[in-house]
Amino acid sequence: MSVTLDLPDDVVRRLTAEAARRGTELADVIAALAAQLPAADRPARHRRLAFVGAGASTSGITPKMDELLEDGFGQD
């Protein structure tokens, strides 16, 4: 399948450099990176962070912590 992407120049340079480092094609590097993504049919995990006395709070820090976790805070 053929796909056209409009990527920033620095991203293209990094991908091209990685392909050269691996001795492979750019498409192979992109495919390898895509293979690391979660399966499309697997639902996203909704993580919650709660502390004693803050878990049921609708105000304060708990909603902000949940928002940060949903945005991927702390994930590599």
Side-chain angles (χ1 to χ4, degrees):
M1 173 188 284
S2 179
V3 176
T4 302
L5 300 173
D6 184 19
L7 299 172
D9 291 341
D10 64 315
V11 172
V12 174
R13 279 191 294 275
R14 291 171 52 203
L15 288 168
T16 303
E18 181 61 18
R21 186 187 72 78
R22 294 181 185 192
T24 188
E25 300 291 324
L26 179 61
D28 295 329
V29 172
I30 294 171
L33 291 170
Q36 295 177 24
L37 297 173
D41 59 344
R42 191 174 87 194
R45 290 180 11 204
H46 180 75
R47 299 186 302 172
R48 293 192 161 267
L49 180 61
F51 294 97
V52 175
S57 175
T58 57
S59 64
I61 194 167
T62 302
K64 181 62 178 173
M65 291 185 297
D66 289 338
E67 181 182 320
L68 288 170
L69 290 173
E70 287 176 2
D71 291 342
F73 180 79
Q75 295 181 1
D76 292 337

